[in-house]
Amino acid sequence: MIELKNLTKQFGDFKAVDGVNLRIDTGEFFGLLGPNGAGKTTTIGMLSTLLLPTSGEILIDGVHMTRKRRDLKQKVSVVTQEYSMRQDMIPDEVMEYQGRLYFMPVRTIRARTEKLFAFAGLNDHRQKSVRRLSGGMKRRLMICRALLTEPQILLLDEPTAGMDAISRRQMWDLLRRLNEQGLTILLTTHYIEEAQSLCQRVALMDRGRLDRVDTPAALIQELGAYAVDGLSPDGMHTRYFHERQDAIACLSAPGAQHTLRDTTLEDVFVERIGRHL
């Protein structure tokens, strides 16, 4: 279980994260959503101890997380936005280098690598240098590297950024399988469809603060399960309805072209966070 208590990170006069209180249960797939500059990556940085909080605390299974708590740090692995691997290495070398950083026996490293590469579908690409791998393969390799030490918590910061649609769906399947095996996952993403598909709960974050925390389904239902998009001379407008018959009645309104569809988590994000941007 992860607990953030009044977590704050300040850079000079700027508060990147401002008094965040959040609880993520063991085995949960949790999404952190927000526009650029909302504080998502800074929050991930503090959870991984790359950044130190200005105030507040992080608890892992009830124990205060610090850089000195190696036992807690080994429970957490992070996959960053950037490709942080040497381009001239092959995947096996990437894994062995990572394992040696954690003083893992070579036999254990190689056994874990075999299982992880088979799980992630990378066995056919083991002799390619990192620079020759596709973006999707690189992302899968970074996840394998993060899982090498058998963490209990996986932090994913924009893991599918730059992927094509097929590679993104393959990554979703991989992450679902990991979560089904009991891994706690915290995901930040700009692909709202991704969060709606994967996450059991999401937090909407804006200007360093949490706006709402709930399930995607509950947030959508609160806004209205049915959306009617209307195109008029002054642009596109969307209205939301809790009852389908009310949405259908709106379709016959004069003076606009209307389209009925299901409301999405992206609609919630735009209505709650995007309007002031």
Side-chain angles (χ1 to χ4, degrees), residues 3-258:
E3 291 182 274
L4 311 183
K5 294 187 175 182
N6 200 32
L7 189 66
T8 300
K9 181 62 179 179
Q10 194 159 338
F11 298 98
D13 296 330
F14 174 66
K15 281 188 178 180
V17 176
D18 189 3
V20 168
N21 291 284
L22 181 64
R23 171 174 171 163
I24 301 171
D25 293 327
T26 300
E28 188 171 14
F29 203 135
F30 192 93
L32 193 57
L33 308 179
N36 290 327
K40 307 183 301 298
T41 296
T42 302
T43 301
I44 292 286
M46 288 187 283
L47 280 164
S48 65
T49 73
L50 181 64
L51 296 174
L52 296 177
T54 303
S55 61
E57 60 181 344
I58 299 169
L59 303 178
I60 305 294
D61 295 332
V63 181
H64 187 212
M65 177 72 149
T66 68
R67 286 179 175 173
K68 295 181 180 180
R69 291 301 303 258
R70 181 177 294 182
D71 56 330
L72 294 182
K73 289 173 65 177
Q74 288 183 338
K75 292 183 177 183
V76 181
S77 278
V78 60
V79 176
T80 61
Q81 295 180 36
E82 297 79 18
Y83 295 126
S84 54
M85 300 175 291
R86 280 187 49 169
Q87 297 297 301
D88 58 337
M89 285 184 171
I90 62 173
D92 285 270
E93 293 171 335
V94 170
M95 298 292 281
E96 185 159 339
Y97 181 75
Q98 180 74 0
R100 287 179 180 274
L101 289 176
Y102 284 85
F103 305 102
M104 294 175 64
V106 173
R107 183 176 297 177
T108 303
I109 295 170
R110 292 176 180 171
R112 286 282 297 159
T113 296
E114 291 295 329
K115 290 181 180 179
L116 288 168
F117 282 0
F119 180 76
L122 287 175
N123 275 330
D124 292 339
H125 308 282
R126 296 174 68 161
Q127 299 306 310
K128 297 178 181 177
S129 64
V130 169
R131 68 167 53 90
R132 292 176 54 212
L133 298 177
S134 69
M137 292 173 193
K138 288 178 182 177
R139 293 290 182 189
R140 280 184 277 163
L141 177 56
M142 289 175 69
I143 288 178
C144 288
R145 183 181 64 175
L147 295 174
L148 183 63
T149 57
E150 298 185 273
Q152 298 174 21
I153 298 167
L154 183 61
L155 309 177
L156 301 171
D157 193 11
E158 304 285 350
T160 61
M163 282 188 180
D164 60 62
I166 295 173
S167 297
R168 186 177 301 126
R169 296 302 175 96
Q170 291 173 340
M171 179 64 77
W172 292 2
D173 289 340
L174 175 62
L175 296 178
R176 284 193 190 97
R177 284 184 285 150
L178 289 171
N179 182 244
E180 288 168 359
Q181 294 177 4
L183 186 66
T184 302
I185 300 177
L186 173 58
L187 167 78
T188 78
T189 181
H190 284 301
Y191 298 113
I192 310 300
E193 176 194 5
E194 182 166 277
Q196 182 174 342
S197 176
L198 293 174
C199 298
Q200 290 138 15
R201 287 191 304 149
V202 297
L204 304 181
M205 193 170 189
D206 186 28
R207 292 174 286 190
R209 297 187 176 188
L210 292 187
D211 177 75
R212 280 294 306 277
V213 180
D214 213 327
T215 66
L219 291 170
I220 290 169
Q221 191 61 44
E222 181 181 293
L223 179 61
Y226 305 98
V228 174
D229 297 323
L231 182 61
S232 62
D234 57 344
M236 179 73 75
H237 302 279
T238 303
R239 296 180 61 188
Y240 301 97
F241 300 88
H242 293 285
E243 302 296 334
R244 184 176 178 84
Q245 58 266 31
D246 294 335
I248 292 174
C250 181
L251 294 175
S252 60
Q257 298 176 2
H258 291 104

